[in-house]
C-alpha cells in the first residue's frame, strides 16, 4: 500500500498533523494528484545535489502540466495551474529548497504513520501532550467567544448613552435659549425637574457602562495572564521539542485565532472609550464618572494591546540550513540559512510597511571571550500578508553569516567553551503605531550553534539536543559552563527521535536498552539513571578513539545514506552486543546471520553468520565492517546477495542463507537488490563480487 493511502486511513488526530505539513511551500493538492510519482523519487538525495534537484523540479512541473491537461474539473484545473506558477516563482532559483521541503514532508508522513502504531510516549512527549489539553483549549475557545460577545454588547449601550445625552443636551439648550424671566416661572419647574431626572439617569448609565467595561478589561487581563500566555509558552516548548526531533508542531493557527479575537475585543473597547471621550466634550458635570475613570481604563486597554501584540511576535520557523533540514539551530558560516517570523494578531489596516530587522548576538554578555559574527545579506525586510496562514503578517529571511576575525584591530580568540558549546541567538525587531499606540516588537530564536566546518556538525547537534531537552530558557549563553545531567528516560526518547527523524521509525525497547548499557553499563535499565554531558559526547568510549554520541551519529548518517530501505524493513538488528549476538545465533542452523552495527568502527555495519566447524560445533564468523566508502561503491543488499567466502582453495560459496531468526535471505532482501545493468555492445556487463578468504 502506498504511503499516501496509509495516511488517508489514519485517525482524525493524526490527519490533523498531516494537514500541518502542507502549505504554499508544498500544497496538499500536489501530494494528492501526484502521490505515486512523488513517492517514487529520491528526494532525500536530491536535497543534497543541486543538479538532481533541478531535474526533479522540471519533472514535477511537467507532471503537473500533464495532470492539468487531463483534468476534467474546471476548478481543479484552475487550482493546479496556479500551483504550477507558484512553484516556479518560489523554487526556480532554489531547487535544493524544494527537494528539502518534499523530503521532509515524506519523512514526517512516515513518522506519523509509525507513531499511530506505537501509542507509548516518553517523558518529554508526555510533558507536551497531555490528556487535559483538549478540554483546556475548549475552555479557551469558550472564554474568548464570551469576551468578544460582552464587548460587542457594549456598542449598543454606548449608542443608547449617546442618544440619552443628545436628549438631555437638546432639553438643556432649549431651556437656556429662553429669557431669564421665563426660566424662573413656575411653569419651568416641571421641565427643570425632568432635565434633572434625565441627568441622574445619564450619570447612572455612565457609571454602569464604565463598570461593565472595567469588568471586561479585568476578564481580558485574567485571560491573557492565566491562559493565553501559558498556551503560548507551551507552544514554544513544543517547538523546542520538535526542533530536536519530537512530535510534529501544531497549534499555531489556533493561537493566532485566540490572539486575534482578543486583540479585536481590545481595539473595539478602545474605540468605545474614545467615543466616551467625545461625549464628555458635549456634556460633563462635577464628579462625572467618565472624566474620573476613563483615563485609567484607557491606559489599561493600551497596556493590554501593547502586551498582547508584543507577545504575538514569534519565530514561526527557527533558523535552519536547507542542506541539513533535520538539524535546525545549527548555522555554518558561508552557508545560507532560513528563518521565519510571524505576528499572530491580524492587525487592522496599517498605512505603512511593517519592517523587521534581524540582529545577530544582540545580547552577547559584555566583556565575554566569544567568537563574533555578522550577517552578510540585507538585515531588513517588510512583513507581508500570508494567505496560507489566514491573513497574518509574516516574513521569511534568508541570510549568510560570516565570522569576524578582528574586532577593533585585535584578533578574536576562541573562548573557554568549545566552538560547539558556544550559544548564540538571532533577534528580530520592528516598530509601528496603531490607533495612537507606539509598539516596539522584539523576539529571538532559540540558542544557536555556529560552526565553520561540517566536521563540527556532530558536536553542534549534540549541544542543540542537550539544551532543548533540559531547559525552556529562551537565552542562557552560559548553559554549557556547567551543563545539567539528563535522565536516561529523557535521553533515550530523544535518541529514538533522531532515528524517526531520518527514517520515519524510532528505536524499540531492546535497541534502546543496548544503547543504555553501552553508555552507562547495566544500570541503564532504570529510566531515572543520570547521564552527564561529558559522558554523552565528550569522553571517549573505553578503549575507543571516539565518544558515544559520535559513534551513534555516524551510524545515523550510514543509515540515511546507504541503509534506509533495509533499515525500514527491519532487516537490521542493529544495536547488538557481541554477547547478545552469540546468545541469538549459537543454537541456529548454519547459514543463519544477523546484521549489526560495529562497536569498534565509526559508521560501520557487519554481518555475523553461523558456520559449523569440523567438530560439529557452531562457530560464529563476522566480516570486517562495511563503512560509507565501501557502501558508496556497492549497495549493501547486493553485498549480501553476492557475498562469497573462499576456504582453503575450495569453490567460493555464499554463507548467508537465513536472516535471523530464520527467514530465507532472498525473501527479506529481494526487493532491495539492484538489477544488473543491460549489456552494451560490444561489451558484456561486469559485476563486483565481495569476497572474503577464510583460513
Amino acid at each position: 500500500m502506498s504511503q499516501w493511502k496509509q495516511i488517508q486511513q489514519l485517525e482524525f488526530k493524526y490527519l490533523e498533523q498531516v494537514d500541518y505539513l502542507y502549505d504554499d511551500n508544498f500544497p496538499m493538492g500536489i501530494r494528492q494528484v501526484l502521490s505515486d510519482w512523488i513517492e517514487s523519487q529520491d528526494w532525500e538525495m536530491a536535497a543534497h545535489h543541486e543538479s538532481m534537484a533541478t531535474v526533479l523540479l522540471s519533472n514535477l512541473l511537467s507532471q503537473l502540466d500533464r495532470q492539468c491537461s487531463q483534468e476534467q474539473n474546471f476548478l481543479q484545473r484552475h487550482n493546479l495551474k496556479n500551483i504550477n506558477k507558484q512553484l516556479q516563482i518560489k523554487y526556480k532559483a532554489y531547487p535544493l529548497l524544494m527537494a528539502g521541503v518534499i523530503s521532509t514532508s515524506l519523512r514526517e508522513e512516515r513518522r506519523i504513520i509509525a507513531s499511530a502504531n506505537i501509542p507509548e510516549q516518553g517523558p518529554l512527549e508526555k510533558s507536551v501532550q497531555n490528556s487535559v489539553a483538549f478540554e483546556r483549549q475548549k475552555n479557551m475557545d469558550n472564554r474568548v467567544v464570551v469576551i468578544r460577545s460582552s464587548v460587542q454588547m457594549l456598542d449598543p449601550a454606548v449608542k443608547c448613552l449617546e442618544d440619552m445625552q443628545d436628549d438631555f443636551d437638546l432639553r438643556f439648550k432649549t431651556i437656556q435659549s429662553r429669557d431669564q424671566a421665563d426660566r424662573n416661572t413656575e411653569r419651568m419647574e416641571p421641565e427643570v425637574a425632568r432635565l434633572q431626572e434625565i441627568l441622574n439617569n445619564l450619570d447612572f448609565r455612565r457609571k454602569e457602562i464604565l463598570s461593565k467595561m472595567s469588568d471586561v478589561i479585568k476578564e481580558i487581563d485574567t485571560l491573557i495572564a492565566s491562559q493565553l500566555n501559558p498556551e503560548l509558552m507551551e507552544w514554544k516548548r513544543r517547538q523546542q521539542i520538535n526542533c530536536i526531533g519530537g512530535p510534529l508542531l501544531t497549534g499555531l493557527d489556533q493561537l493566532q485565532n485566540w490572539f486575534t479575537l482578543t486583540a479585536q475585543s481590545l481595539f473595539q473597547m478602545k474605540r468605545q472609550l474614545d467615543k466616551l471621550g467625545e461625549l464628555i466634550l458635549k456634556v460633563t458635570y462635577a464628579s462625572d464618572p467618565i472624566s474620573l475613570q476613563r483615563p485609567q481604563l484607557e491606559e489599561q486597554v493600551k497596556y493590554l494591546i501593547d502586551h498582547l501584540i508584543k507577545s504575538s511576535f514569534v519565530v514561526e520557523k527557527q533558523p535552519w540550513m536547507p542542506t541539513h533540514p533535520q538539524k535546525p539551530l545549527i548555522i555554518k558560516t558561508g552557508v545560507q540559512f532560513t528563518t521565519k517570523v510571524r505576528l499572530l494578531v491580524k492587525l487592522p489596516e496599517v498605512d505603512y510597511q511593517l519592517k523587521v530587522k534581524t540582529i545577530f548576538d544582540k545580547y552577547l554578555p559584555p566583556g565575554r571571550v566569544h567568537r563574533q559574527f555578522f550577517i552578510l545579506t540585507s538585515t531588513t525586510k517588510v512583513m507581508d500578508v500570508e494567505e496560507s496562514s489566514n491573513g497574518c503578517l509574516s516574513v521569511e529571511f534568508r541570510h549568510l553569516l560570516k565570522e569576524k576575525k578582528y574586532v577593533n584591530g585585535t584578533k578574536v580568540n576562541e573562548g573557554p567553551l568549545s566552538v560547539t558549546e558556544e550559544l548564540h541567538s538571532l533577534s528580530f525587531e520592528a516598530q509601528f503605531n496603531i490607533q495612537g499606540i507606539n509598539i516596539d516588537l522584539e523576539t529571538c530564536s532559540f540558542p544557536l550553534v555556529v560552526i565553520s566546518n561540517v566536521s563540527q556538525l556532530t558536536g553542534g547537534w549534540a549541544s542543540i539536543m542537550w539544551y532543548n531537552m533540559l531547559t525552556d530558557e529562551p537565552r542562557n549563553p552560559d548553559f554549557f559552563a556547567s551543563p545539567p545531567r539528563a535522565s536516561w528516560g529523557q535521553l533515550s526518547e530523544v535518541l529514538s527521535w533522531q532515528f524517526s527523524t531520518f527514517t520515519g521509525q524510532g528505536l524499540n525497547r531492546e535497541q534502546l536498552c543496548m544503547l543504555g548499557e553501552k553508555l552507562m553499563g547495566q544500570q541503564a535499565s532504570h529510566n531515572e539513571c543520570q547521564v552527564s554531558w561529558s559522558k554523552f559526547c565528550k569522553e571517549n568510549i573505553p578503549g575507543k578513539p571516539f565518544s558515544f554520541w559520535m559513534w551513534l551519529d555516524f551510524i545515523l548518517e550510514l543509515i540515511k545514506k546507504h541503509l534506509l530501505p533495509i533499515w525500514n524493513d527491519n532487516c537490521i538488528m542493529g544495536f547488538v552486543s557481541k554477547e547478545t549476538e552469540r546468545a541469538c545465533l549459537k543454537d541456529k542452523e548454519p547459514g543463519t546471520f544477523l546484521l549489526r552495527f560495529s562497536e569498534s568502527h565509526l559508521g560501520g555495519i557487519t554481518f555475523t553468520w553461523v558456520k559449523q566447524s569440523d567438530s560439529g560445533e557452531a562457530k560464529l564468523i563476522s566480516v570486517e565492517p562495511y563503512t560509507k566508502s565501501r557502501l558508496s561503491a556497492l549497495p549493501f543488499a547486493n553485498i549480501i546477495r553476492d557475498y562469497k567466502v573462499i576456504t582453503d582453495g575450495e569453490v567460493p560459496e555464499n554463507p548467508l542463507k537465513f536472516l535471523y531468526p530464520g527467514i530465507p535471505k532472498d525473501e527479506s532482501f529481494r526487493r532491495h537488490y539492484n538489477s544488473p545493468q543491460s549489456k552494451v555492445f560490444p561489451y558484456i556487463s561486469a559485476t563486483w563480487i565481495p569476497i572474503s578468504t577464510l583460513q
Side-chain angles (χ1 to χ4, degrees), residues 82-95:
N82 283 340
I83 290 173
N84 195 319
K85 291 177 183 177
Q86 291 171 10
L87 292 181
Q88 291 186 56
I89 294 170
K90 188 179 290 286
Y91 295 125
K92 187 174 182 180
Y94 305 102

Side-chain angles (χ1 to χ4, degrees), residues 1-8 18 21-23 25-41 43 60 64 67 76 80 83 87 101-110 113:
M1 184 185 298
S2 72
Q3 186 169 306
W4 188 242
K5 287 183 179 178
Q6 292 180 62
I7 287 290
Q8 293 171 317
V18 175
L21 291 175
Y22 295 98
D23 53 21
N25 292 321
F26 184 25
M28 189 179 289
I30 300 179
R31 184 68 179 94
Q32 172 70 28
V33 299
L34 300 180
S35 58
D36 292 339
W37 181 84
I38 287 172
E39 290 178 29
S40 66
Q41 311 304 311
W43 299 101
L60 176 63
L64 270 178
Q67 191 68 32
Q76 179 71 350
L80 291 176
I83 290 173
L87 292 181
V101 167
I102 297 179
S103 172
T104 300
S105 297
L106 294 177
R107 186 172 51 256
E108 289 296 334
E109 283 182 6
R110 291 194 296 271
I113 293 170

Side-chain angles (χ1 to χ4, degrees), residues 334-578:
V335 174
Q336 187 184 75
F337 67 92
T338 300
T339 187
K340 182 180 180 182
V341 293
R342 175 170 167 179
L343 197 64
L344 298 180
V345 172
K346 286 197 287 187
L347 297 173
E349 292 296 326
V350 291
D351 56 359
Y352 63 92
Q353 295 177 325
L354 183 55
K355 296 181 179 179
V356 179
K357 182 181 180 182
T358 55
I359 304 171
F360 198 81
D361 273 345
K362 178 180 179 180
Y363 295 101
L364 195 65
R368 176 175 171 176
V369 180
H370 211 295
R371 294 178 302 152
Q372 296 185 34
F373 302 89
F374 62 94
I375 297 172
L376 282 174
T377 44
S378 174
T379 58
T380 303
K381 202 170 179 181
V382 175
M383 297 191 86
D384 198 6
V385 175
E386 185 178 13
E387 293 182 4
S388 63
S389 57
N390 299 319
C392 79
L393 288 171
S394 65
V395 59
E396 187 173 272
F397 289 94
R398 290 189 175 96
H399 284 320
L400 286 172
L401 206 63
K402 187 175 177 63
E403 185 173 358
K404 293 180 181 178
K405 297 298 183 182
Y406 293 86
V407 177
N408 299 326
T410 304
K411 187 173 182 180
V412 179
N413 297 315
E414 291 187 3
L417 298 175
S418 69
V419 167
T420 56
E421 292 175 325
E422 284 185 1
L423 298 178
H424 305 264
S425 67
L426 189 65
S427 301
F428 305 88
E429 295 180 348
Q431 294 179 328
F432 70 103
N433 180 288
I434 184 167
Q435 296 191 11
I437 305 173
N438 292 315
I439 297 179
D440 296 320
L441 298 177
E442 181 175 346
T443 189
C444 68
S445 69
F446 295 143
L448 309 170
V449 170
V450 181
I451 62 176
S452 56
N453 193 293
V454 175
S455 63
Q456 298 165 334
L457 191 64
T458 296
W461 186 239
S463 298
I464 294 298
M465 287 192 298
W466 205 261
Y467 185 95
N468 291 287
M469 173 175 59
L470 296 177
T471 181
D472 57 4
E473 292 181 87
R475 281 190 299 268
N476 184 357
D478 296 319
F479 179 84
F480 285 104
S482 181
R485 291 172 173 261
S487 72
W488 173 242
Q490 292 172 309
L491 182 57
S492 63
E493 184 179 16
V494 173
L495 294 181
S496 182
W497 288 343
Q498 306 316 299
F499 283 82
S500 62
T501 296
F502 280 111
T503 71
Q505 180 174 301
L507 300 178
N508 59 37
R509 188 184 301 274
E510 290 74 20
Q511 292 167 328
L512 289 172
C513 184
M514 184 272 173
L515 288 179
E517 290 179 2
K518 186 171 184 65
L519 180 61
M520 299 178 294
Q522 295 298 323
Q523 61 174 327
S525 58
H526 303 289
N527 280 341
E528 297 307 314
C529 290
Q530 299 293 299
V531 185
S532 70
W533 165 245
S534 180
K535 183 80 171 176
F536 174 63
C537 76
K538 296 179 76 71
E539 299 174 9
N540 286 344
I541 297 172
K544 305 293 188 299
F546 45 79
S547 68
F548 171 84
W549 169 243
M550 181 176 287
W551 170 75
L552 190 61
D553 193 47
F554 272 63
I555 288 173
L556 275 164
E557 283 296 310
L558 191 73
I559 293 173
K560 176 185 173 184
K561 294 180 179 178
H562 302 288
L563 305 173
L564 190 56
I566 60 176
W567 170 265
N568 282 337
D569 265 5
N570 297 313
C571 296
I572 301 175
M573 186 173 287
F575 301 104
V576 185
S577 65
K578 292 182 179 178

Side-chain angles (χ1 to χ4, degrees), residues 196-236:
Q196 184 62 50
E197 181 184 349
I198 293 174
L199 181 60
N200 292 341
N201 196 18
L202 184 66
D203 183 67
F204 174 79
R205 293 297 181 187
R206 285 185 171 186
K207 290 177 180 176
E208 183 181 50
I209 286 178
L210 289 167
S211 176
K212 288 180 179 179
M213 284 185 168
S214 179
D215 290 342
V216 174
I217 291 171
K218 289 177 183 176
E219 180 69 18
I220 293 175
D221 190 13
T222 303
L223 174 78
I224 292 173
S226 66
Q227 284 188 276
L228 198 52
N229 283 343
E231 287 289 344
L232 179 62
M233 296 308 297
E234 185 174 316
W235 178 84
K236 289 182 177 180

